[in-house]
Amino acid sequence: MEGHGDPDLALLERIARKDKAAFKALYRQLYQPIYQYLFRMLQRREVCEELVDDVLLTVWQKAGDFRGRSKVRTWVIGIAYRKGLKRYYREARGPQMDELEQHALRLRDEEDAGPEGRFQQQQLGVQLQTGLMSLSANHRSVMELTMLGYSCNEIASIVDCPVNTVKTRMFHARRQLREYLGQLDPRAAAGRGEEQ
Amino acid sequence: MSIQQTASNHEQQFLNLPWYVNGTLSAEQMEAMRLHIDGCDICRQEVELLRSAQSVVQDDLAAVVPDAGRLDRLMEKIDAPPRQTARPVNPVRGILHETRRVFSALFENRWAWAAVAPILLVAVIFMRGGDVAAPGIDYKTLSSGERPTGSVLRLRFETEAGVDAVELLHAVRPLSSAARLETGADGGYVMALPSDTAPDRVLAVMQFLEEYPGVGSVRRTSE
């Protein structure tokens, strides 16, 4: 969790002293992970591009406030999380869910979808995608941050809650995801959810 | 290893599976998890599901490069002098702005907030005649810093029909691994926690129960 050995720390220290070259370097380094995280949350390219700039502008303004309690990247993703969540709640999510569900139904009905294994894999992917979208924003964030490779402690730092809350949210997210998949395919759920 | 220890080990490992899948557990935890998964069908199936979810999330991550002008535009924004407002200052708005600025400064400064919080707490207690109970939660007892005197601490609550008590208990376990569920004399439920559970942990369990769908207000009982 500490900043020792954090490759971004030296850049952030220079940014705190208003070094523009350091800011440009950090921008290039962090643009992709911030964008990818926000895109998972919001699924809209233009909105995400605009938000990434907003996040990095905040980094420029607040670099001096960084206390080194986490890695720089974790701190920045925490800023992205809060800005993304605010936007998520402001924007209507309905139409995108409908589109994904329509796509899932189309795949299920499609008869000439190629080899069966590939079709099933593709179908499971879409079902998982819609399942993730059906989770509450808090549960989904914990699930997706984990899938993006963040540790439990880092997620606690990003979403600003105790580690046990992260584990509880993850537990509920996994249960809801299994229930969602079970509703779509009761046979598969019988195999997957025996422990429930 | 006893059956109870095995079950407790499974619960612990089951909770940590997502971080096994993303590879962020310590080397020691990874090894223990690998051994557990080898002998546990439930965890093996869960790993498969988590790996599928992981590939769905990661497949969605196209490599992105900001367009060339993007950084330049941001740098222009950074270089631009702060905008001056031409509007006349509204006095009410000014007071609100100033109050908000002072409170933001307090929240940003942890130590200042730590100094002000006890004063605010005393003021609230004074205004409420010593009773700081919020609906359904006995904060008075918890905030006194006293530990429960009995061997267990009981939290009484009622649930709507359809709430699965066993699932509820399972959900509480990450907060208190020794939590037990009992049926109350009045038909409700009682969550029993060890008496040495830290007050903040008790409070966390109470808040969790209060937020759990279908659970009514939660009270600490002296039984």
Side-chain angles (χ1 to χ4, degrees):
Chain A
M1 290 289 289
E2 288 79 25
H4 303 296
D6 182 352
D8 301 325
L9 187 59
L11 284 179
L12 195 73
E13 282 169 354
R14 284 168 54 198
I15 293 170
R17 296 193 297 271
K18 302 297 169 199
D19 179 335
K20 286 179 188 165
F23 178 72
K24 286 179 183 174
L26 193 77
Y27 181 96
R28 290 190 192 100
Q29 227 152 283
L30 295 187
Y31 188 92
Q32 177 148 321
I34 302 172
Y35 178 90
Q36 288 176 333
Y37 171 63
L38 287 171
F39 189 76
R40 282 297 314 166
M41 191 190 273
L42 299 163
Q43 301 279 315
R44 284 177 57 193
R45 192 168 162 240
E46 313 79 51
V47 173
C48 293
E49 284 175 349
E50 182 196 316
L51 267 183
V52 177
D53 285 354
D54 197 15
V55 168
L56 286 159
L57 186 60
T58 305
V59 169
W60 170 259
Q61 290 160 344
K62 304 274 182 188
D65 294 349
F66 179 68
R67 294 284 168 263
R69 282 191 284 264
S70 64
K71 284 182 185 164
V72 171
R73 188 172 290 223
T74 308
W75 178 67
V76 175
I77 294 291
I79 297 171
Y81 167 77
R82 284 183 288 280
K83 286 188 185 289
L85 211 56
K86 209 184 273 182
R87 184 61 76 99
Y88 176 88
Y89 284 124
R90 215 170 65 197
E91 309 234 328
R93 308 292 301 150
Q96 286 166 40
M97 266 301 289
D98 288 350
E99 274 169 32
L100 281 164
E101 276 167 0
Q102 294 278 335
H103 184 51
L105 287 172
R106 264 202 311 275
L107 273 175
R108 200 190 302 175
D109 296 340
E110 225 170 304
E111 286 181 1
D112 55 348
E116 184 145 339
R118 191 164 56 100
F119 169 66
Q120 281 175 353
Q121 197 58 35
Q122 201 180 5
Q123 193 183 27
L124 176 65
V126 176
Q127 286 169 352
L128 277 166
Q129 184 77 290
T130 52
L132 285 169
M133 292 293 185
S134 74
L135 300 177
S136 74
N138 280 336
H139 288 171
R140 188 151 73 89
S141 289
V142 169
M143 175 71 90
E144 290 181 345
L145 283 165
T146 304
M147 299 315 168
L148 290 173
Y150 291 91
S151 72
C152 194
N153 285 334
E154 285 173 331
I155 296 170
S157 178
I158 290 168
V159 306
D160 196 18
C161 72
V163 167
N164 275 333
T165 306
V166 172
K167 289 188 178 178
T168 307
R169 285 182 189 173
M170 178 54 107
F171 177 83
H172 286 297
R174 286 157 65 189
R175 193 197 59 195
Q176 282 163 21
L177 197 58
R178 281 194 301 272
E179 280 173 5
Y180 181 85
L181 294 174
Q183 281 165 12
L184 294 177
D185 185 358
R187 283 166 307 167
R192 267 195 298 265
E194 272 166 5
E195 82 277 12
Q196 295 302 299
Chain B
M1 201 183 268
S2 71
I3 293 173
Q4 269 182 331
Q5 279 174 317
T6 310
S8 157
N9 183 44
H10 166 73
E11 278 177 23
Q12 198 54 45
Q13 306 288 29
F14 190 77
L15 276 179
N16 284 331
L17 277 177
W19 295 284
Y20 167 75
V21 169
N22 82 1
T24 56
L25 294 179
S26 67
E28 200 182 325
Q29 285 174 311
M30 289 293 270
E31 188 52 34
M33 187 67 92
R34 226 171 276 135
L35 287 173
H36 173 75
I37 291 169
D38 278 348
C40 179
D41 288 341
I42 294 169
C43 286
R44 249 200 319 272
Q45 282 177 4
E46 187 72 4
V47 166
E48 273 175 36
L49 178 67
L50 288 167
R51 287 215 167 111
S52 303
Q54 188 180 36
S55 63
V56 163
V57 170
Q58 291 186 346
D59 285 353
D60 207 24
L61 305 179
V64 280
V65 181
D67 69 73
R70 205 153 192 100
L71 178 56
D72 294 338
R73 286 196 293 277
L74 186 61
M75 294 314 292
E76 277 169 22
K77 211 187 269 187
I78 284 172
D79 288 335
R83 242 188 292 171
Q84 300 290 325
T85 50
R87 283 184 302 179
V89 178
N90 177 337
V92 177
R93 205 174 266 212
I95 292 167
L96 283 175
H97 175 77
E98 200 53 29
T99 313
R100 201 164 56 191
R101 196 184 59 77
V102 168
F103 271 90
S104 313
L106 268 179
F107 275 104
E108 275 171 19
N109 186 332
R110 209 169 264 232
W111 293 111
W113 182 236
V116 170
I119 297 168
L120 286 176
L121 186 64
V122 169
V124 170
I125 293 171
F126 181 73
M127 284 190 291
R128 299 284 305 267
D131 179 10
V132 290
I137 297 185
D138 191 359
Y139 284 105
K140 193 175 177 180
T141 310
L142 289 165
S143 63
S144 70
E146 290 166 11
R147 294 280 175 107
T149 49
S151 60
V152 288
L153 185 155
R154 290 188 165 82
L155 306 174
R156 179 183 294 282
F157 58 95
E158 286 176 4
T159 63
E160 290 170 8
V163 173
D164 185 334
V166 177
E167 192 173 89
L168 175 60
L169 176 62
H170 205 56
V172 166
R173 284 275 162 83
L175 292 171
S176 174
S177 56
R180 282 188 293 118
L181 196 62
E182 302 166 355
T183 311
D186 55 357
Y189 287 101
V190 171
M191 185 70 72
L193 308 175
S195 61
D196 59 353
T197 307
D200 61 334
R201 190 52 66 91
V202 176
L203 188 58
V205 172
M206 291 174 86
Q207 283 173 340
F208 177 79
L209 288 173
E210 292 242 322
E211 286 171 15
Y212 197 90
V215 172
S217 64
V218 183
R219 291 211 150 268
R220 225 198 90 181
T221 68
S222 53
E223 293 166 26

